[in-house]
Every structure is written in structure tokens, then in C-alpha cells.
Amino acid sequence: MADTPDPEARIAALQAELAAMRADMQHFTYAVSHDLRAPLRHILSYAQLVQEDAGPLLSAEVQEFLATISDSARHMGVLLDGLAALSRVGTAPVHLCAVSLQELVSAVCSELAAHHPERTIEWRMATGLPLVQAGPALLRQALTQVLGNAVKFTAQRQPAVIEVSAAREPLAGFVTLQVRDNGAGFNPAQQHQLFKVFGRLHSGKQFNGIGMGLVLAQKSLERMGGAMRMDGVVGTGCTVQLVIRSDYCA
């Protein structure tokens, strides 16, 4: 009679296999984002040389072709930056400690406001946001992406209203930080696209970006044992919930 597999040994083996698969994927992502940069630099450099040396001899149509080549190469560079950032999130060491949501959210909101001095943004931030158990850099990454999206997608609102509040999760040891805005929102039927790499629900002409912010935020939270949920209505706004550990014990 065959020996009954040890459940703990089986779980450990599956965890090791998952860790190996994750490491392979992160290595692949880094290699792609890193190794493609050399040929990309060559494309940009030689397109620029052609424009400088032969520009006056080229027709307006050919000059537009060269400009398109350069613009597309630069855009690819931005996409590669996004892949590199995703790779860093997946491989960064995670050291959980007590983090003040009040201080961190206030700092991120101040940075975003400073980057958009021309905007009228009404920040409605709850007081007494709790301490959470998190990696400070990963949590800042998630907050920057989520609050940055709120700023971006309220660009056509006057005034833009961004609300931040927190509540205890039904599951013990977690809190939910909620970010609500009155921006463009999204079609709930397309929600599955939100957390895909380079997934976008709006055109580049409407709002800039490459569709990486929410992926980075979600991965950052997952690395800390948290999660992320979203809800939205077209033309009304969006609500993002960040589920974060709160069971820190000094």
C-alpha cells in the first residue's frame, strides 16, 4: 500500500513550485525590458541622424514617417519602463512594519497636488486613519498609483473631488482604505480589463498613461498579503478599495 502523502510536505512543494514559477516570470520580464533597450536606442539614434543629416532633402511625408518612428520608439521605451517597474515590485523584499496611513496618504496627496498646481482639487480626507502592517515602499507605490489615477481621471471635473476614508474589514486583521472620485468612471462590464498589463479603458487622447498603474498597485498590495477592489459608473466616478493588513503588534 502506497504511503499517504504528507499534506504539509505537499503544500511546501507547491509553494516552492509557485515561488520558482514567479521567479522565472520576473526574470523573463526583467530580461525583456532590459534587453530590448539597446536596439530601441539604435532606432532612436539613427532616426535622429537621418533627420539631422538629410532632413532638408526629405519630403514632408517622409519627415512625418521619421517622426512616427521616433515617437513610436519613445512610447516603447515608456512601455519597457512599465515592465521594469512591474518586475521590481515582484522581486522587491517585503519587510512589514507599522505604517501610519494618515501620514502616508497625506504625503502622497501633497506630492500629487504639487505636481498639478493648475488643478482645483478638493481633497476630502478622513481623520484618524489607522496604522497598518505594510511594506512602506510598496504601500506608497500602491497609494501613488491609485490616488494618481483619481487625479488623472477627474481632469475634466470642476472641481475635482477625491475622498479618502477607512473602515475595518469583516475579516479580522484587515482594514479597507477607500478612494472615491467624481471622475470619468468606467463601464463595469469592462472591469476585467482593469488589472491587465497595458490594459486601458480610455483612449490616449482622453487620458495619458500606458495602463500599468492599477497592475502595479494590485501587485504591491498582493506582495503584502492585501488585495484591491474597484467599482465605477461611466461619467460618475470610481471607487477603489485597498485591503491592507492591520494586525501589527509592536
Side-chain angles (χ1 to χ4, degrees), residues 128-249:
L129 297 179
L131 290 176
V132 293
Q133 184 182 13
L138 287 172
L139 185 54
R140 177 180 281 273
Q141 166 90 282
L143 288 172
T144 299
Q145 298 299 338
V146 170
L147 289 165
N149 264 8
V151 171
K152 177 179 13 178
F153 291 110
T154 56
Q156 299 172 4
R157 297 292 184 264
Q158 196 61 249
V161 178
I162 300 173
E163 304 176 29
V164 182
S165 60
R168 293 283 175 183
E169 275 282 302
L171 182 63
F174 288 85
V175 298
T176 296
L177 183 73
Q178 181 169 279
V179 178
R180 185 195 303 266
D181 67 61
N182 66 337
F186 62 89
N187 183 348
Q190 296 179 299
Q191 189 165 3
H192 64 284
Q193 295 284 345
L194 291 172
F195 299 106
K196 290 184 176 181
V197 175
F198 303 137
R200 291 175 56 89
L201 300 185
H202 303 85
S203 71
K205 292 182 178 180
Q206 292 175 295
F207 301 99
N208 61 10
I210 60 173
M212 185 65 79
L214 292 179
V215 178
L216 290 171
Q218 183 188 52
K219 294 301 181 185
S220 296
L221 289 166
E222 289 177 349
R223 291 295 313 279
M224 300 180 291
M228 189 168 160
R229 302 188 291 255
M230 291 190 67
D231 186 27
V233 178
V234 174
T236 300
C238 176
T239 299
V240 184
Q241 294 182 326
L242 292 77
V243 181
I244 312 166
R245 289 184 179 276
S246 65
D247 54 346
Y248 178 81
C249 296

Side-chain angles (χ1 to χ4, degrees), residues 12 15-16 21 31 37-38 51 98 102-103 113 122 137 167 201 205 249:
Q15 289 176 333
M21 291 174 62
R37 291 190 183 279
Q51 287 174 320
Q102 195 75 50
E103 293 179 4
E122 184 178 331
L201 300 185
K205 292 182 178 180
C249 296

